[in-house]
């Protein structure tokens, strides 16, 4: 057995209390970087790379080597000094952290342009999530399939979510309906909401995790960088 694997074989065998304390100490910034590790490690596996140092990984990800070591140390380290990281092993541990092998299932609520695009995307399958249902109010599409996924009536949402034991709801409907739908989801098996409506939701009191996605924020961040560069260039010209 590889010494690197053996060294970390007990990473997730801690008591419930120890695990809760470990996770509570992980910053949101570290959590947001985990999907990047997932993507880059998957690419390294495709390339046939079996071992990588934090320095090599830092050059790929444009993150400092010390930051990578700090991030991974939050969950046990997964590396060995002088050896680096076993790529397959590290990828497997990152997958565990991200729940890739947990057989999560999802329903997309709102079969409009965004919902229809998402259901056809390979993004879910690549991350271990199966989309098993779509919901809409449009009678023209209810009872049909979009991609390989059946479209159910919104009237049947609670019963279908329970029958299919769906974990994740993806909200792609108009924002004015977000709160009402979120309230209805309390009476189902939904444990997480991926919210694209633009309406900020907080379901923590119901034990439901919400990831509020604001696509426009990303666009505005890009626009900020463009405006910054233009202002700096303009200032340089004016200074001359």
């Amino acid at each position: 057995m590889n010494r690197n694997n053996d060294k970390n074989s007990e990473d997730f065998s801690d008591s419930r209390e120890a695990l809760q304390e470990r996770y509570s100490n992980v910053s949101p910034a570290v959590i947001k970087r985990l999907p990047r590790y997932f993507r880059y490690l998957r690419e390294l596996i495709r390339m046939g790379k079996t071992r990588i140092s934090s320095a090599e990984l830092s050059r790929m990800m444009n993150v400092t080597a010390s930051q990578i070591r700090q991030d991974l140390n939050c969950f046990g380290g997964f590396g060995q000094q002088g050896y680096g990281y076993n790529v397959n092993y590290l990828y497997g541990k990152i997958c565990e952290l991200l729940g890739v092998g947990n057989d999560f299932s999802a329903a997309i609520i709102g079969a409009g342009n965004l919902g229809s695009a998402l259901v056809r995307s390979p993004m879910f399958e690549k991350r271990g999530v199966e989309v098993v249902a779509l919901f809409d109010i449009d009678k023209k599409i209810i009872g049909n399939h979009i991609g390989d996924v059946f479209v159910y009536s919104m009237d049947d949402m609670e019963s279908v979510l329970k029958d299919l034991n769906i974990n994740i709801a993806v909200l792609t409907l108009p924002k004015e309906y977000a709160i009402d739908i979120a309230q209805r989801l309390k009476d189902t098996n939904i444990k997480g909401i991926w919210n694209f409506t633009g309406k900020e939701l907080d379901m923590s009191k119901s034990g439901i995790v919400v990831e509020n996605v604001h696509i426009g924020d990303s666009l505005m961040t890009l626009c900020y960088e463009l405006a910054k560069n233009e202002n700096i260039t303009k200032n340089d010209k004016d200074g001359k």
Side-chain angles (χ1 to χ4, degrees):
M1 179 180 289
N2 184 289
R3 287 189 301 158
N4 188 45
N5 291 7
D6 186 55
K7 174 181 180 293
N8 294 288
S9 60
E10 302 297 324
D11 285 338
F12 295 145
S13 63
D14 296 331
S15 67
R16 178 182 177 85
E17 291 76 15
L19 282 172
Q20 286 179 328
E21 182 178 359
R22 175 181 290 178
Y23 282 118
S24 67
N25 292 328
V26 180
S27 73
V30 173
I31 296 169
K32 287 186 179 297
R33 280 193 290 271
L34 287 178
R36 292 193 67 209
Y37 290 116
F38 172 81
R39 287 190 286 109
Y40 280 97
L41 288 165
R42 185 174 59 188
E43 185 60 31
L44 287 169
I45 290 172
R46 288 176 183 158
M47 294 163 56
K49 187 86 170 177
T50 59
R51 187 176 70 177
I52 192 166
S53 68
S54 56
E56 290 176 297
L57 194 54
S58 73
R59 288 192 290 271
M60 289 182 64
M61 296 181 60
N62 197 28
V63 176
T64 67
S66 62
Q67 183 66 73
I68 290 172
R69 291 192 293 270
Q70 288 174 33
D71 287 352
L72 298 180
N73 281 339
C74 292
F75 306 100
F78 311 136
Q80 186 174 349
Q81 190 171 5
Y83 178 90
Y85 298 102
N86 179 310
V87 173
N88 284 282
Y89 177 74
L90 181 56
Y91 177 73
K93 286 301 180 182
I94 295 296
C95 285
E96 284 183 39
L97 289 168
L98 293 173
V100 173
N102 289 18
D103 296 324
F104 291 134
S105 57
I108 296 177
I109 302 175
N113 292 335
L114 179 56
S116 297
L118 286 175
V119 78
R120 293 186 173 97
S121 169
M123 169 186 58
F124 290 96
E125 183 180 358
K126 288 181 179 179
R127 287 155 180 80
V129 178
E130 182 183 9
V131 179
V132 296
L134 268 163
F135 293 94
D136 207 88
I137 60 173
D138 188 348
K139 294 181 180 179
K140 294 179 181 178
I141 60 174
I142 292 171
N144 297 314
H145 287 79
I146 296 179
D148 296 325
V149 181
F150 188 78
V151 182
Y152 296 89
S153 169
M154 288 294 298
D155 295 336
D156 302 323
M157 185 181 74
E158 287 90 340
S159 61
V160 172
L161 291 176
K162 289 178 183 178
D163 289 346
L164 297 181
N165 195 27
I166 295 172
N167 317 108
I168 298 171
V170 183
L171 303 190
T172 57
L173 66 168
K175 67 186 299 182
E176 57 265 31
Y177 301 110
I179 293 178
D180 177 59
I181 294 300
Q183 293 301 314
R184 290 175 61 183
L185 292 174
K186 290 181 181 180
D187 299 322
T188 69
N189 301 322
I190 292 297
K191 302 298 181 186
I193 297 175
W194 199 18
N195 175 28
F196 285 88
T197 66
K199 179 71 174 180
E200 202 81 11
L201 296 177
D202 182 355
M203 303 287 287
S204 55
K205 291 182 179 179
S206 302
I208 298 176
V209 179
V210 179
E211 179 70 14
N212 292 300
V213 182
H214 297 279
I215 297 175
D217 288 4
S218 180
L219 175 61
M220 295 305 293
T221 300
L222 173 64
C223 290
Y224 167 82
E225 293 295 336
L226 293 175
K228 178 187 72 176
N229 291 342
E230 287 184 357
N231 287 336
I232 291 172
T233 301
K234 182 177 184 298
N235 184 67
D236 289 342
K237 291 179 178 178
D238 292 345
K240 292 179 181 179

